[in-house]
């Protein structure tokens, strides 16, 4: 324990470690959460659409209040929303004609209505009502015939089935996915969806991609840095021996990974609670993507995505420490570590599907947003929904890297 404490203190005393932690917290918490919530994404639109105001907290409350009145997603509430939307667009048109410009208050009401989310539902569930001559001219809710918006949940089941067919997911795979989908309960509660969509679709699901570079910089020097600092000869004379020292270094790497992740996650969650509160946590994730099959609400999906990022980070830490142990040059260890994550990401959509799925199993390469998808793996004659698999395999890869890291470093030390 004393050896671990000394190695841990040594790691945190490095300027590179402290700089990485500060940059990571600033990027993920200050820029990625606070400024996004207060200004970049959720601030109300300035006059003439010249940017956003610094009023995200108030604007988010207005968005939540606007949608709250619909309560539950039914044919009637959807029709009511479309009628409200049409009235707002008609009001905008009238203001342009009489005043030459829109009233900013009306513009804000349109933006606060969850416009883009609901129009995505309409395109998914009512493709037969979409008009080709209106594409790119007006949103669907502005011209769709309101009385034809019926049978929303039957339409959803049909849309899911159609997606399976288009995606060539038939036979046993289709039956397997439908069994998961059967657990989705209706009707859906309806609250402000856009905020949850951004959180689960990008902010949390892409957290691992953002953390990877900081983990790589710090942990790649954990073993290889001893050669750079010319302390390898001194280490050979210590009473603890290379095995105990290697174990202490690995525990230090794991501890640092948990500490940095905890700081970032805690900051993001606190700001989320400040700006979003807990409203909408019980909405099903189908309110974000209607053809999602996961029987999860927003809170469950968020917990899954944070767990996915944490386990992926621990797996990635194991890979980085292996490279650090095998390379005398910590720069080479850093480049190899970055290549493990960012290399597959660069070619992710340019390779065959089987290779793309293989990439998703690597630490911090896949995405927690797979809970919205229907990807599967076919293993030993059985189908496995991707979120069940991609959350554990990266951690397993990292664990399997630890023993070779100890042995690899030992061979280099003795050599």
């Amino acid at each position: 324990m004393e050896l671990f404490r000394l190695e841990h203190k040594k790691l945190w005393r490095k300027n590179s470690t402290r700089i990485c932690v500060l940059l990571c917290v600033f990027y993920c918490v200050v820029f990625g959460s606070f400024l996004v919530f207060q200004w970049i994404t959720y601030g109300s639109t300035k006059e003439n659409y010249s940017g956003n105001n610094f009023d995200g907290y108030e604007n988010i409350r207005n968005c939540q209040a606007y949608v709250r009145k619909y309560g539950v997603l039914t044919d009637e509430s959807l029709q009511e929303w479309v009628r409200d939307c049409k009235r707002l667009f008609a009001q905008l048109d009238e203001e342009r004609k009489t005043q030459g410009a829109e009233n900013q208050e009306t513009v804000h009401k349109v933006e606060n209505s969850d416009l883009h989310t609901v129009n995505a539902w309409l395109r998914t569930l009512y493709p037969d009502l979409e008009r080709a001559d209106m594409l790119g001219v007006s949103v669907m809710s502005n011209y769709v015939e309101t009385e034809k918006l019926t049978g929303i949940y039957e339409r959803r089941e049909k849309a899911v089935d159609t997606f399976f067919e288009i995606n060539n997911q038939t036979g046993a795979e289709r039956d397997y996915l439908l069994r998961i989908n059967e657990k989705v309960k209706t009707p859906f509660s309806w609250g402000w969806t856009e905020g949850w969509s951004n959180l689960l679709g990008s902010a949390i699901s892409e957290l691992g991609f953002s953390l990877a570079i900081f983990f790589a910089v710090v942990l790649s020097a954990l073993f290889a840095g001893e050669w750079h600092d010319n302390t390898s000869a001194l280490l050979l004379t210590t009473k603890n021996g290379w095995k105990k020292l290697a174990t202490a270094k690995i525990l230090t790497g794991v501890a640092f990974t948990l500490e940095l992740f905890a700081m970032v996650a805690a900051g993001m969650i606190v700001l989320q609670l400040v700006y979003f509160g807990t409203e909408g946590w019980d909405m099903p994730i189908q309110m974000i993507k209607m053809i999602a099959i996961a029987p999860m609400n927003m809170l469950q999906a968020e917990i899954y995505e944070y767990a996915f990022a944490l386990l992926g980070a621990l797996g990635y830490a194991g890979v980085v420490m292996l490279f650090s142990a095998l390379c005398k040059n910590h720069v080479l260890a850093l480049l190899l570590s970055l290549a493990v994550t960012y290399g597959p990401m660069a070619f992710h959509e340019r390779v065959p599907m089987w290779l793309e799925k293989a990439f998703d199993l690597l630490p911090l390469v896949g995405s927690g947003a797979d809970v919205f998808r229907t990807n599967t793996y076919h293993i030993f004659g059985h189908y496995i929904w991707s979120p069940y698999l991609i959350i554990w395999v990266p951690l397993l890869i990292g664990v399997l890297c630890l023993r070779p890291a100890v042995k690899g470093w030992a061979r280099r030390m003795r050599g």
Side-chain angles (χ1 to χ4, degrees):
M1 185 58 68
E2 179 66 18
L3 195 56
F4 162 71
R5 188 183 67 80
L6 292 173
E7 283 293 326
H8 186 263
K9 183 183 293 187
K10 176 182 174 182
L11 180 68
W12 276 97
R13 279 179 176 174
K14 290 183 178 180
N15 289 331
S16 58
T17 300
R18 295 176 178 178
I19 292 172
C20 278
V21 170
L22 289 174
L23 289 176
C24 183
V25 171
F26 176 83
Y27 179 75
C28 296
V29 179
V30 179
F31 178 79
S33 291
F34 171 68
L35 292 179
V36 165
F37 294 156
Q38 184 64 23
W39 173 43
I40 298 173
T41 300
Y42 300 107
S44 61
T45 303
K46 290 183 179 179
E47 193 171 354
N48 299 322
Y49 302 94
S50 56
N52 290 346
N53 295 303
F54 199 75
D55 62 351
Y57 183 86
E58 180 183 355
N59 194 49
I60 288 171
R61 293 294 178 275
N62 292 334
C63 291
Q64 291 174 329
Y66 184 95
V67 182
R68 192 181 298 138
K69 61 183 178 180
Y70 300 108
V72 176
L73 180 60
T74 61
D75 294 349
E76 292 73 24
S77 61
L78 179 60
Q79 291 172 4
E80 181 186 355
W81 182 94
V82 171
R83 283 192 290 269
D84 291 342
C85 182
K86 287 182 176 181
R87 281 196 291 268
L88 287 174
F89 275 104
Q91 186 175 340
L92 284 176
D93 290 337
E94 182 64 25
E95 289 168 357
R96 292 190 192 104
K97 292 176 183 177
T98 58
Q99 305 173 21
E102 306 101 331
N103 184 293
Q104 203 64 19
E105 183 179 346
T106 309
V107 171
H108 290 165
K109 286 182 179 179
V110 172
E111 293 176 342
N112 294 347
S113 66
D114 239 354
L115 179 71
H116 301 294
T117 299
V118 182
N119 274 278
W121 302 347
L122 296 178
R123 290 192 301 272
T124 300
L125 304 181
Y126 301 92
D128 52 309
L129 302 182
E130 196 167 11
R131 288 169 47 182
D133 61 314
M134 298 299 288
L135 294 177
V137 178
S138 179
V139 293
M140 191 172 173
S141 58
N142 196 27
Y143 63 79
V144 70
E145 298 178 60
T146 308
E147 64 278 2
K148 291 186 178 181
L149 298 176
T150 58
I152 186 169
Y153 294 108
E154 292 79 5
R155 290 264 188 167
R156 178 187 170 271
E157 295 300 323
K158 183 179 178 181
V160 170
D161 211 37
T162 300
F163 179 78
F164 290 158
E165 185 177 347
I166 295 173
N167 211 32
N168 200 30
Q169 292 179 300
T170 59
E173 183 179 13
R174 173 183 174 276
D175 294 340
Y176 169 71
L177 294 172
L178 284 176
R179 285 195 295 272
I180 299 175
N181 182 63
E182 286 173 358
K183 299 176 183 178
V184 176
K185 297 180 180 179
T186 58
F188 302 155
S189 57
W190 188 353
W192 182 54
T193 306
E194 184 181 347
W196 285 101
S197 178
N198 288 331
L199 277 175
L200 301 179
S202 59
I204 304 174
S205 63
E206 296 177 4
L207 177 59
F209 305 156
S210 304
L211 294 176
I213 188 170
F214 301 105
F215 287 134
V217 170
V218 174
L219 299 181
S220 62
L222 195 61
F223 289 96
E226 302 294 357
W227 298 96
H228 179 268
D229 298 336
N230 294 319
T231 57
S232 56
L234 178 62
L235 292 175
L236 290 174
T237 65
T238 60
K239 63 178 181 179
N240 294 292
W242 61 265
K243 190 171 183 180
K244 288 184 178 180
L245 186 58
T247 301
K249 285 182 175 294
I250 285 174
L251 292 176
T252 297
V254 171
F256 173 80
T257 302
L258 294 173
E259 289 160 353
L260 181 56
F261 185 89
M263 283 188 282
V264 171
M268 292 175 63
I269 292 171
V270 167
L271 286 171
Q272 177 190 333
L273 290 173
V274 169
Y275 280 89
F276 292 173
T278 59
E279 188 168 330
W281 69 267
D282 57 342
M283 285 191 299
I285 66 170
Q286 284 70 28
M287 295 296 282
I288 295 175
K289 186 176 182 180
M290 277 291 171
I291 58 174
I293 62 171
M296 290 183 176
N297 61 34
M298 302 296 184
L299 178 60
Q300 290 169 332
E302 181 172 8
I303 292 172
Y304 174 88
E305 290 195 3
Y306 271 119
F308 177 88
L310 173 59
L311 297 180
L314 290 171
Y316 185 66
V319 173
V320 176
M321 286 189 284
L322 174 61
F323 287 138
S324 180
L326 296 179
C327 301
K328 288 187 176 182
N329 189 324
H330 72 279
V331 175
L332 177 59
L334 170 61
L335 294 176
L336 290 173
S337 300
L338 294 176
V340 167
T341 294
Y342 296 107
M345 286 168 53
F347 297 99
H348 198 269
E349 297 181 358
R350 300 178 179 86
V351 296
M353 179 59 71
W354 66 268
L355 187 54
E356 186 176 323
K357 288 183 177 181
F359 283 162
D360 287 341
L361 297 174
L362 296 176
L364 300 185
V365 175
S367 172
D370 259 31
V371 294
F372 294 97
R373 302 172 185 138
T374 62
N375 298 334
T376 62
Y377 290 86
H378 194 227
I379 302 175
F380 301 123
H382 297 280
Y383 287 99
I384 302 177
W385 186 41
S386 61
Y388 294 153
L389 197 63
I390 64 175
I391 190 173
W392 296 112
V393 173
L395 176 64
L396 178 61
I397 291 174
V399 171
L400 293 176
C401 287
L402 297 181
R403 185 174 178 82
V406 173
K407 289 188 174 183
W409 192 59
R411 283 195 297 269
R412 287 193 170 276
M413 293 293 291
R414 288 170 174 174

